[in-house]
């Protein structure tokens, strides 16, 4: 057992590439060892911008020699009628350094075959690594890779050294023009520039002695603690920014934090703009007051040169910040002078998606969609008090929503958002400007929130108008992109439409909005005059697929999801509420009996496509005159009786009551199957009974398609 | 105090000592040193090529009538091309900073992800912007493609923003205050030039004339390149690119037209590249 160390030394790799490449490296090295059945213990991963490293503990020295049984040709091909070995048998044994005398016959499921036993050579781990590592390094995937030397090998950035040690010995291999060794490199400023790693266990300590902190977590903690200390020393607290903390961890080998200042005049700028300017241009943390979100005229820079001259370095960071903030102030002033309203007119000149009109056209569609959405919301569409917590079901602010829809894209034409560092603030800038230009909060907030959630797990809109505008915007993005024929397939989703669909549905689910997907999509498609049906018809499929995934994320079992998706997927909020209700019933024995009954009904109806689609949906009532057996009469009467109560219970989201009502039918259903022959000889009776069952099924279907529930052990 | 002209000569000598020929800026308006045929054309073939030169870079849109201390419509780049890229090129670059008085132990130097791309030249590469204490001073790029052609030998392009560097080493806050030599400032040399060209770029450039010139130079570039006259043809490509920049600064190009103009120049750049390679490194027949 030894330790294995592999360090790929590079020029600075982009921060976002490091994590995925490192876990891929570990996976591939483990796979190479596993392929040769070489056991390996736990691992440690290290990364800095200039190195990706992996240490594996307790790696076996190799796979020992052992005896394996090899299967050869069938007995008939190996031996002739007299039992003499054929040429085939001679060939097979010779190929393994044996003679036909070593062959023996064994039965197999496919007949008798000849076998031989052979001792394999031991496989030293060093050999496996020598052969495997160059291919592993070459195969690491990066979003972008490059060539740099005459051999044409590719990597994220040039590789300049390779350390590979198994125990205290170098595993020798070549990659591009490089040879592996034990020499690593320290910080750029360190003397000597390169030095030996004596053994894998000494990796961290050797580099630490030369100033490089290789464990990523240690750097992250060091940055967070020093940031906290410096902000407190300035009388404040750091503005928390996980993303920036991760990034600064990944662009330093030896973080050195510096407290810097800017002129307090710039505090007039909106805080988000200040924070973003410092973050995007200079990767600096902002500092806020200890007791509020207001900023202090301070920031913290993360340098990478221990022992640098703090005064010089922070002085230059301050100059750079000054120039950025001056630009930002210039933009804000110019933008506010121009106003948002004037930009709406200019949107006519700006193409949104080729063939899908301008941004102006888009905002006109958003206004229409928002009207549709606010109308939908006013209809009490089976929405009880329980599902609209905190949100008024009546849109007394429809005018504000319309105004927000009109102005929401104007910030894309502002100086501020057109600067690439600030594009991430799209929407936020619009909201800030709207507020500063005197628009009501209901308008400004909706503009500010209408891109939310921008990614999975992002904040959701907190206002109703923000939520509706976001839904409208995302849906319009999806519809327009589909109509250009750019439909996501497999891993191809260049316009992130799945993410948009997930965002849209997340809002609907979390805010329990009474949205009907079918109606909404049709409304959105109608706004494109020349929509191609073949593309438009595929849009609901995307939403359905995403809703299914979201239900799974909510912890809904797949069979319950299938049961509610079948009946209610177009009302996602309802689907989720029903799924949770079903999940609560699921463990009750009565529930399972109900499911069994429904499966029987479904099976009978499934095997018999004799009913029209309409009948199958349960819309055609059976003729009472043709109900001959007492049990079927009873079933029909009971069904009729519970129907109004059932609908009332569903409308009130009282699923317990709905469930109990349906459960009350169960004895009669069971009796029906015992007493009544559904497949009667007389066609009229048969059809009538199938209609009856379809009606019963439709009652259950108002809750969910219970036949989709999987019963364990069946 | 190191003057602006000292910085230029020290950097040129530094790279000359490492095998780079000192060549001249191009005699036509370019937006960046990359347009100089000493880069655009000579990185294409499979022969080594090591040069250093300064280039006045004209970016009509960046003019501010000499009113902004950090933005001008014509600034100086110093560019080194090393083909093939040496394995210790990052260290060589850092030593060049020491040559102009930047102490690497006292200052924080960082190579920050920045993938360079010139859509008009059909060129891209991977590399960094080099930041000195948070201020970008250079672009460091391993070219991968040029004229839309995969490069046979990967060169490195080092582009120094000379005004930024001079401001740092001289400790001044405005480009216009950079000391050119002992008696002149950058502003003494270029202030009037900035004022007048800003007015020209934004207000006076004749839109009709430059549109027409673009069309005519485009046809002429095509004609010359078809005759195998690579350098004269490329000269016209450079002009087209500059006319486009001027028209854009004048606000004469709409968003949808912009893409079209860019792809027209890119096609010319590609034609230049293929014509050059066909001439200097013709593919053996049958391949």
């Amino acid at each position: 057992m030894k330790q294995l160390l592999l360090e790929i030394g590079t020029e600075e790799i982009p921060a976002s590439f490091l994590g995925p490449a490192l876990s891929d490296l570990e996976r591939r090295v483990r796979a190479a060892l596993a392929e040769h059945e070489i056991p390996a213990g736990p691992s440690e991963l290290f990364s800095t911008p200039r190195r990706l490293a992996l240490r594996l503990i307790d790696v076996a020295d190799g796979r020992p020699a052992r005896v394996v049984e090899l299967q050869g040709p069938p007995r008939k091909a190996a031996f002739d009628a007299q039992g003499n070995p054929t040429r085939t048998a001679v060939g097979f044994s010779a190929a393994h350094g044996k003679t036909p005398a070593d062959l023996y016959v064994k039965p197999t499921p496919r007949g008798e075959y000849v076998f031989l036993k052979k001792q394999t050579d031991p496989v030293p781990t060093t050999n496996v690594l020598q052969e495997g590592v160059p291919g592993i390094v070459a195969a690491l995937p990066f979003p972008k890779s490059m060539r740099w030397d005459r051999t044409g090998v590719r990597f994220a950035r040039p590789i300049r050294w390779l350390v590979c040690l198994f125990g205290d010995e170098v595993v020798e291999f070549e990659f591009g023009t490089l040879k592996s060794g034990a020499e690593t490199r320290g910080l750029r400023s360190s003397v000597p520039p390169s030095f030996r790693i004596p053994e894998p266990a000494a990796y961290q300590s050797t580099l630490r002695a030369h100033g490089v902190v290789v464990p990523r977590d240690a750097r992250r903690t060091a940055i967070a603690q020093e940031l906290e200390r410096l902000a407190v020393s300035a009388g404040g607290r750091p503005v928390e920014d996980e993303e920036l903390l991760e990034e600064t961890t990944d662009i330093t080998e030896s973080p050195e934090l510096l407290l810097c200042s800017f002129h307090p005049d710039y505090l007039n700028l909106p805080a988000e703009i200040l924070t973003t300017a410092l973050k995007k241009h200079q990767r600096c943390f902002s500092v806020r007051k200890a007791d509020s979100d207001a900023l202090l005229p301070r920031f913290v820079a993360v340098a990478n040169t221990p022992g640098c001259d703090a005064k010089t370095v922070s002085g230059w960071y301050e100059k750079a910040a000054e120039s950025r903030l001056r630009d930002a102030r210039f933009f804000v002033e110019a933008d506010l002078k121009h106003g948002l309203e004037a930009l709406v007119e200019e949107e006519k000149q700006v193409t949104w998606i080729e063939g899908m009109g301008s941004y102006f056209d888009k905002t006109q569609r958003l206004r229409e969609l928002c009207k549709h959405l606010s109308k939908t919301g006013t209809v009490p569409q089976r929405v009880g008090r329980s599902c609209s917590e905190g949100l008024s079901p009546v849109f007394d602010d429809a005018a504000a929503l319309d105004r927000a829809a009109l102005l929401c894209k104007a910030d894309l034409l502002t100086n501020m958002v057109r600067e690439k560092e600030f594009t991430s603030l799209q929407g936020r800038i619009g909201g800030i400007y709207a507020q500063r230009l005197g628009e009501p909060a209901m308008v400004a907030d909706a503009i500010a929130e209408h891109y939310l959630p921008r990614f999975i797990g992002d904040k959701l809109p907190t206002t109703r108008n923000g939520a509706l505008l976001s839904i409208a915007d995302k849906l319009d993005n999806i519809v327009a992109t589909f109509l250009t024929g750019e439909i996501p397939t497999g891993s191809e989703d260049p316009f992130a439409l799945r993410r948009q669909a997930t965002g849209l549905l997340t809002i609907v689910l979390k805010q329990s909005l009474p949205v009907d997907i079918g109606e909404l999509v049709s409304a959105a498609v109608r706004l494109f005059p020349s929509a191609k049906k073949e593309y438009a018809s595929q849009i609901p499929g995307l939403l359905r697929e995403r809703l299914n995934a979201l239900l799974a994320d909510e912890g809904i079992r797949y069979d319950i999801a299938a049961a509610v998706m079948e009946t209610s997927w177009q009302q996602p909020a309802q689907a989720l509420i029903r799924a949770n209700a079903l999940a609560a019933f699921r463990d009750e024995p009565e529930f399972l009996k109900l499911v069994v009954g429904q499966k029987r009904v479904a099976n009978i109806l499934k095997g018999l496509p004799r009913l029209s689609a309409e009948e199958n949906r349960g819309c055609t009532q059976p003729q009472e005159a043709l109900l001959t057996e007492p049990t079927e009469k009873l079933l029909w009467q009971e069904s009729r009786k519970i129907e109004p109560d059932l609908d009332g219970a569903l409308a009130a989201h009282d699923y317990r009551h709905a469930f109990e009502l349906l459960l009350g039918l169960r004895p009669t259903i069971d009796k029906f199957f015992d007493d009544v022959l559904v497949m009667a000889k007389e066609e009229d009776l048969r059809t009538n009974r199938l209609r009856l069952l379809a009606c019963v099924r439709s009652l259950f279907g108002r809750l969910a398609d219970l036949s989709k529930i999987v019963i364990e052990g069946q | 105090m190191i003057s602006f002209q000292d910085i230029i000569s020290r950097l040129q000598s530094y790279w000359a000592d490492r095998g780079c020929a000192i060549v001249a800026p191009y005699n036509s308006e370019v937006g960046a040193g990359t347009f100089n045929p000493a880069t655009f054309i000579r990185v294409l073939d499979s022969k080594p090529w090591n040069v250093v030169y300064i280039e006045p870079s004209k970016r009509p849109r960046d003019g501010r009538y000499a009113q902004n201390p950090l933005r001008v419509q014509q600034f100086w780049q110093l560019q080194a091309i090393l083909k093939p890229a040496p394995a210790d090129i990052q260290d060589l670059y850092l030593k060049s900073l020491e040559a102009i008085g930047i102490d690497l132990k006292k200052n924080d130097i960082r190579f920050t992800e920045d993938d360079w791309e010139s859509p008009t030249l059909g060129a891209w590469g991977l590399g960094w912007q080099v930041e000195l204490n948070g201020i970008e001073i250079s672009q460091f790029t391993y070219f991968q493609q040029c004229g839309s052609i995969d490069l046979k030998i990967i060169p490195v392009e080092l582009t120094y923003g000379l005004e930024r560097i001079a401001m740092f080493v001289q400790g001044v806050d405005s480009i216009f205050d950079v000391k050119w030599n002992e008696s002149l400032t950058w502003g003494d040399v270029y202030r009037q030039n900035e004022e007048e060209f800003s007015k020209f770029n934004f207000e006076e450039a004749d839109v009709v004339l430059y549109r027409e010139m673009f069309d005519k130079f485009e046809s002429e570039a095509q004609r010359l390149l078809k005759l195998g006259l690579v350098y004269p043809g490329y000269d016209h490509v450079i002009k087209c690119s500059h006319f486009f920049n001027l028209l854009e600064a004048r606000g004469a190009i709409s968003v949808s037209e912009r893409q079209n103009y860019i792809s027209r120049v890119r096609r010319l750049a590609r034609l230049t590249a293929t014509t050059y390679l066909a001439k200097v490194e013709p593919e053996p027949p049958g391949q």
Side-chain angles (χ1 to χ4, degrees), chain A residues 27-44:
Chain A
R27 190 178 59 75
R28 286 173 196 264
V29 170
R30 283 194 180 278
L33 293 172
E35 192 190 328
H36 292 88
E37 295 165 43
I38 297 168
S43 53
E44 280 180 283

Side-chain angles (χ1 to χ4, degrees), chain A residues 13 46 73 83 132 137 149 157 182 204 265 278 324 333 337 348 354 401 410 470 517 529 535 552 569:
Chain A
I13 294 182
F46 308 97
V137 174
D149 70 13
R157 289 292 184 277
Q204 269 169 264
D265 280 359
L278 293 168
R324 297 299 184 183
E333 281 167 5
K337 214 163 124 189
K348 290 180 181 167
E354 204 60 48
L401 180 57
S470 174
I517 297 291
Y535 294 144
W569 81 268

Side-chain angles (χ1 to χ4, degrees), chain A residues 244 275 278-280 282-286 299-302 317:
Chain A
L244 186 57
T275 305
L278 293 168
K279 170 184 178 175
K280 296 277 175 166
Q282 301 189 272
R283 292 169 195 82
C284 292
F285 291 89
S286 300
F299 64 94
V300 176
V302 185
Y317 266 98

Side-chain angles (χ1 to χ4, degrees), chain B residues 10-20:
Chain B
R10 285 198 202 179
L11 285 174
Q12 284 186 331
S13 317
Y14 175 87
W15 288 110
D17 290 347
R18 279 149 193 85
C20 291

Side-chain angles (χ1 to χ4, degrees), chain A residues 10-17 50 144-149 154-158 160 185 188-189 191 251-252 281-283 302-310 312-313 316-317 319-320 323-324 326-327 331 349-351 354 419-420, chain B residues 68-71 84-91 94 104-115 124 126-129 131-136 140 142-145 150-154 164 167-169 171-173 254-256:
Chain A
T10 65
E11 296 179 0
E12 281 78 351
I13 294 182
S16 63
F17 291 13
R50 292 176 71 210
K144 271 185 189 171
S145 66
M146 59 172 280
R147 297 173 290 139
W148 65 92
D149 70 13
R154 301 187 79 95
F155 209 70
R157 289 292 184 277
R160 294 307 183 193
R185 297 192 198 173
R188 292 197 184 284
S189 51
V191 181
I251 60 173
T252 49
H281 290 296
Q282 301 189 272
R283 292 169 195 82
V302 185
N304 190 37
T305 312
C308 62
D309 180 53
T312 310
V313 177
W316 278 89
Y317 266 98
K319 272 187 201 187
S323 115
R324 297 299 184 183
R326 191 190 311 155
D327 264 4
F331 291 149
Q349 309 302 319
V350 185
T351 308
E354 204 60 48
E419 286 290 300
K420 73 172 183 210
Chain B
N68 184 315
L70 298 173
R71 284 227 191 211
D88 58 349
I89 184 60
Q90 276 189 318
D91 290 330
L94 290 171
L104 300 178
K105 290 209 165 55
K106 287 189 178 159
N107 293 285
D108 185 49
I109 303 273
R110 177 171 300 152
F111 291 85
T112 299
E113 173 187 10
D114 190 25
D115 300 339
W124 68 274
L126 297 191
W128 311 271
Q129 60 180 41
E131 289 171 4
L132 172 63
N133 303 330
I135 294 185
E136 181 191 353
F140 189 126
Y142 293 99
F143 277 1
Q144 303 289 304
Q145 234 187 31
D150 283 335
L151 297 180
K152 298 191 181 92
I153 302 182
I154 301 301
R164 288 274 186 86
M167 285 169 69
F168 175 82
V169 296
V172 299
D173 293 337
S254 74
V255 178
S256 49

